[in-house]
Amino acid sequence: MAPTKKGILERLNAGEIVIGDGGFVFALEKRGYVKAGPWTPEATKEHPEAVRQLHREFLRAGANVMQTFTFYASDDKLENRGNKLTYTGAQINEAACDLAREVANEGDALVAGGVSQTPSYLSCKSETDVKATFKKQLDVFVKKNVDFLIAEYFEHVEEAVWAVEALKETGKPVAATLCIGPQGDMHGVSPQECAVKLVKAGAQIVGINCHFDPETCVKTVKMMKEGVEKAGLKAHYMVQPLAFHTPDCNCQGFIDLPEFPFGLEPRILTRWDMHKYAREAYNAGIRYIGGCCGFEPYHIRAVAEELATERGFFPAATEKHGPWGSGLEMHTKPWVRARARRDYWESLKPSSGRPLCPSLSVPDGWGVTRGHAELMQQKEATSKDQLKQLFDRSKTQ
C-alpha cells in the first residue's frame, strides 16, 4: 500500500507551503472545452481527457492540491438561463472527483472538493434552500472521500458562511475564499469582518480567490489576517488570485472590466510577475498559494520555483525551464543569450504592442447585487426583450 499522505491541516500546521492549481474554467474555455457565459464544468463527462491533462500539467508544475473541476456545478447553476446539459450535477461532480484523484495519486497531491456561489442565493432563496443546493454536491464529495473542502468564489459573506456551515457537517477540513477586494463584499462587509465570520462559522483556512490581481488579493488577505488576529482567533490563510493585472477595478473586480471575458489577454501576468506574487504572499504569512482564472501551468511553475528553497525542491517541470531564463544560454542569437539573467527579467517593463490602446479601462458600475430585480435568475433562456433592455442600458452607463 502507498504511504498515507499528510492532510491539508497537517501540512499547514507544520508550516509547509501548499501550492494550489490554476484556473480550470478559463484554461479549458480557451482550449475549447468550456462555454463562456454559463462557465459550467460538464467537460468532466464530455471531455475527461482534457480535464485530466490539465490536472497533470498543474501537478508537474508544482501544485500539490488537485481541486475538483466542480466550479458552478450546483444543480441550479447547471440549469440556469437555458443551459441544457446531457449529464446531471451528480454525474459531473463524481467524474470531477475521479479525475482529480487519479492525478493526485500520481504525486504527493491532495484532492479538494469545491462549491461556489449559487443562483439560488442571488435570487434571494432561503438559507435552507441554498444549503440544500450545497448538500447535493457535498454528498458526492463525501462518497468520493475528497481530502478537504473549499467554499470558493463568494461575493457575499452571508452565503459563504452558509456554505462553510454546510461543509463542516461532513467532518472534513474546510477552507473558504471570497472573491472580494479591500472594499469588502458586495454588501459592504469589510475583509476583516468577513474573515472573522468565516472562522467563527468553522473554516480553518480563509482567504481570497478570483476577481482581482495578486497584489490586490494579497493585500486583502492581509486585512483578513488582521481581523482574525484582532478578534483573538486563529486560522491558516490562502490566496488564489487572477493572472490578470486589475489596478483599475472597482469592488466587483474584473467582471466589470469592458475586456471581460474575451479581451483580457493584454493584462496577463508574466512568469516573472508570478515570482513576485509568490514571494509577497509568503512574506505576508500566507502558506496556501495558488491561482484562479488566467493561471496556466507555467504560472504555477513560477510560484513553485520562487518558493523552491522553502519547499526544499523544484517542481518536475523545471526540468524544461532554466531558472530566471538560464536556458537562453543555449540560444543561437547572442542578444537573446544576453537575456539569460535574473536582473534582466526582474526589471523588464513589457510592452503591449498596441500603440492606440490605453493602459487602463473604465469599469462598468451598474451597482447590481443580491436583492436587485436585475440579478434574479431563471431557468428559461434570456429572452430577446431582456437582452434589448440590457443593451439599451449599457449605452447609458
Side-chain angles (χ1 to χ4, degrees), residues 298-333:
Y298 75 93
H299 289 126
I300 292 298
R301 180 180 62 190
V303 171
E305 289 180 345
E306 174 63 29
L307 300 173
T309 299
E310 288 81 3
R311 297 179 86 200
F313 59 93
F314 280 91
T318 299
E319 171 190 4
K320 295 295 184 181
H321 184 246
W324 292 103
S326 62
L328 298 181
E329 296 168 4
M330 304 168 68
H331 202 278
T332 57
K333 304 298 189 290

Side-chain angles (χ1 to χ4, degrees), residues 362-375:
V362 178
D364 289 328
W366 287 27
V368 174
T369 188
R370 185 183 192 252
H372 290 84
E374 298 94 324
L375 212 61

Side-chain angles (χ1 to χ4, degrees), residues 6 9 32 35 47 92 134 172 176 188 198 214 258 276 283 295 310 364 367 397:
K6 288 191 290 185
L9 295 180
K35 187 175 185 177
H47 299 284
I92 291 168
F134 293 137
K172 293 182 179 293
L198 293 172
K276 180 181 178 182
N283 289 342
F295 266 74
E310 288 81 3
D364 289 328
Q397 294 298 311

